[in-house]
């Protein structure tokens, strides 16, 4: 029986080493915006709990459910960016769309929102738009060029 095991710690002689190194480099190449994943998750968390922080649960019940759902969606995108960046950074434009929607949602979903509710959603939307554009820009830069 042949000894096919390799000495511990040294995989340079492994037949799949070049392929594994290339895959590892490809995967880390898309992690240029790893610093954005945390803020995106925190933004989603804040969006989800903002109705209770700003106390508009009784005055804007439709915006309560809206912000909770959108906050969960942003948080799930952030977890996807962290877990499978090579697949998920294509959805960075969805973050931009969510940002634009959050900016206009107080007038569409809400009923006579006050200034605090408007500012809350506009700031969340602007941050989502900016973070989405950062993710999309980095994903576009790190994408393989086609000739």
């Amino acid at each position: 029986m042949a000894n096919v095991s390799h000495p511990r710690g040294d995989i340079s002689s492994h037949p799949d080493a070049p392929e594994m190194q290339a895959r590892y480099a490809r995967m880390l190449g898309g992690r240029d915006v790893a610093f954005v994943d945390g803020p995106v998750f925190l933004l989603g968390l804040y969006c989800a709990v903002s109705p209770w922080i700003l106390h508009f649960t009784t005055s804007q019940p439709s915006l309560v459910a809206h912000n909770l759902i959108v906050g969960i969606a942003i948080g799930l995108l952030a977890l996807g960016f962290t877990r499978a960046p090579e697949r998920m950074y294509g959805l960075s434009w969805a973050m931009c769309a969510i940002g634009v929607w959050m900016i206009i949602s107080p007038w569409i979903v809400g009923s006579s929102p006050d200034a605090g509710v408007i500012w809350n959603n506009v700031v969340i939307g602007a941050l989502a738009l900016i973070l989405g554009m950062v993710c999309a820009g980095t994903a576009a830069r790190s994408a393989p060029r086609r000739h």
Side-chain angles (χ1 to χ4, degrees):
M1 184 157 224
N3 182 9
V4 293
S5 64
H6 298 281
R8 284 202 187 272
D10 180 28
I11 66 166
S12 60
S13 62
H14 192 279
D16 294 331
E19 179 186 343
M20 290 186 292
Q21 288 172 341
R23 182 182 302 163
Y24 185 72
R26 234 183 6 256
M27 194 165 101
L28 286 182
R31 299 300 296 151
D32 293 342
V33 292
F35 68 94
V36 178
D37 298 348
V40 170
F41 182 77
L42 291 176
L43 181 67
L45 181 64
Y46 173 74
C47 181
V49 299
S50 65
W52 291 275
I53 292 173
L54 297 179
H55 304 291
F56 63 86
T57 55
T58 56
S59 65
Q60 299 291 326
S62 57
L63 274 174
V64 172
H66 171 269
N67 280 21
L68 179 64
I69 292 168
V70 171
I72 290 170
I74 292 172
L76 289 174
L77 278 173
L79 290 175
F81 292 158
T82 302
R83 181 77 177 120
E86 63 279 354
R87 289 186 227 150
M88 289 296 292
Y89 278 124
L91 290 177
S92 301
W93 293 107
M95 276 288 296
C96 297
I98 288 173
V100 171
W101 172 249
M102 282 300 292
I103 292 170
I104 62 173
S105 67
W107 295 281
I108 296 173
V109 177
S111 57
S112 302
D114 63 356
V117 173
I118 293 171
W119 275 108
N120 178 62
N121 280 20
V122 166
V123 168
I124 290 171
L127 288 173
L129 182 62
I130 290 167
L131 291 172
M133 289 189 333
V134 168
C135 290
T138 304
R141 269 198 319 267
S142 64
R145 305 271 180 204
R146 297 179 190 222
H147 294 111

